[in-house]
Amino acid sequence: ECFQVVEGGITETTELLEERFDYIFFTGSGPVGKIVRAAANQHLTPVTLELGGKSPVYIDSSADMEITARRLLWAKCINLGQTCIAPDYVLCSKEVEVKLVEKMRSLIGEWYGNDPQKSPYLCRIINNRNWDRLDNLLKSTKGKVEIGGENDSKDLYIAPTVITEVGLDEPIMLDEIFGPILPIVSVKSVDEAVDFINKRDKPLTLYVFSSNKATQNALKSKTSSGSMVVNDAVVHLSVETLPFGGVGASGMGGYHGKYTFTTFSHQKSVLVRDFSAIGEYLGETRYPPYEDWKIKRMGLLLKNRKIPKCLSLLPFLASFFLGVASVFLVKLLANNFKF
């Protein structure tokens, strides 16, 4: 009775988008997001689009590699990589790459056993179409498969896979992976990582693993992304006080917690005045004829004045003195009425 739900696919969604809505919220792929936005424009309907994209990870030598590998692998394997904020690829030096691959190989055995396909802790790819898409990514790469690579079409299974030495023009580096495949790209410095990220579409999320404050600040200030997490991954979605949303190709608008309420609310301004003579006298400068004295008075009334900082303490001082006065008043009353 509270919410109307329409189930269906492309046909039903297309028909729904022809209707006039107060607001449209969409989460999905970029191409479909463009269709939704175009349909919303017909009625000037505001939208929030959460579209995903390739969320990069930067790791430097100051990171705790054991913790980094654990948190990164966990984030990549949630729902077998089929989340909009899954780490998509890693940027790091060759030195870091060797250590990271070694740690992740050990963790996969520890978490999922010698045959991860038999593990009850790994999901499956959602359907055949997406399994074929991921299988084609594996087949087309010229990189070196360091971990995993196994797959089973009948079980819709693809093993957690780590690939190094990938080409930047390969399909796996062009579109969002949305699966358990993690390419590693070698960079020599944080500046090179910043340039790499900025040459591509703005990601939904950026992950940074580093104990170096300068590195953290460089990626925070020199790149643009929907969100950023330092020394962890995915967990920012659990913090309801943080808005979540994309920027540029990864979407527009934000939600979560109070930001969801704000997103779906129109903040209507309401000004109520009375008919007092004083207010009318001060405001008569707006009426013609516009003589010099009116213009001067209007400028004086509209001037943006900053309240001195010392005056901001007045409420606190008033409360203090009121409290002191109340103590003396109580004592005076006690003495007069003998209680």
Side-chain angles (χ1 to χ4, degrees), residues 69-82:
R70 189 180 299 122
R71 294 177 178 177
L72 179 58
L73 182 63
W74 168 80
K76 185 63 175 176
C77 289
I78 293 175
N79 205 36
L80 210 61
Q82 299 166 105

Side-chain angles (χ1 to χ4, degrees), residues 21-235:
F21 292 94
D22 292 328
Y23 203 95
I24 295 177
F25 182 100
F26 172 78
T27 176
S29 67
V32 179
K34 292 179 181 179
I35 295 173
V36 173
R37 176 74 184 276
N41 286 344
Q42 299 302 313
H43 301 296
L44 297 180
T45 302
V47 298
T48 290
L49 303 177
E50 195 257 273
L51 304 179
K54 296 183 76 65
S55 295
V57 181
Y58 177 72
I59 307 171
D60 72 7
S61 58
S62 70
D64 184 311
M65 206 53 58
E66 180 71 33
I67 296 177
T68 296
R70 189 180 299 122
R71 294 177 178 177
L72 179 58
L73 182 63
W74 168 80
K76 185 63 175 176
C77 289
I78 293 175
N79 205 36
L80 210 61
Q82 299 166 105
T83 64
C84 62
I85 54 171
D88 195 272
Y89 63 90
V90 174
L91 300 171
C92 65
S93 67
K94 278 293 182 181
E95 176 190 2
V96 170
E97 176 189 292
V98 172
K99 295 178 181 178
L100 179 66
V101 170
E102 179 184 350
K103 295 291 185 183
M104 295 183 86
R105 181 182 290 111
S106 175
L107 283 170
I108 288 175
E110 177 186 335
W111 290 356
Y112 307 120
N114 295 328
D115 186 357
Q117 186 173 359
K118 295 180 180 178
S119 171
Y121 309 120
L122 281 176
C123 300
R124 294 298 183 262
I125 302 304
I126 187 65
N127 54 36
N128 288 298
R129 181 175 61 85
N130 278 284
W131 188 94
D132 290 338
R133 178 183 59 81
L134 292 168
D135 184 52
N136 288 332
L137 290 181
L138 287 174
K139 289 177 179 177
S140 65
T141 183
K142 298 177 182 178
K144 180 181 178 182
V145 177
E146 299 281 359
I147 303 171
E150 301 84 12
N151 57 58
D152 183 345
S153 60
K154 294 181 180 179
D155 192 24
L156 293 180
Y157 171 77
I158 291 181
T161 301
V162 178
I163 305 175
T164 60
E165 301 175 12
V166 296
L168 301 185
D169 58 347
E170 293 183 17
I172 202 169
M173 288 303 299
L174 298 179
D175 297 316
E176 182 179 7
I177 295 173
F178 212 71
I181 306 169
L182 185 65
I184 301 180
V185 177
S186 178
V187 293
K188 296 179 181 179
S189 66
V190 64
D191 291 330
E192 186 177 346
V194 168
D195 290 340
F196 188 96
I197 294 169
N198 287 339
K199 288 178 180 178
R200 287 154 178 81
D201 287 337
K202 296 179 180 181
L204 183 58
T205 299
L206 168 63
Y207 300 116
V208 180
F209 289 87
S210 172
S211 296
N212 189 311
K213 294 295 183 182
T215 296
Q216 296 174 11
N217 289 331
L219 284 155
K220 182 173 65 174
S221 61
K222 295 180 181 180
T223 64
S224 178
S225 57
S227 55
M228 175 176 166
V229 181
V230 177
N231 295 328
D232 213 329
V234 175
V235 295

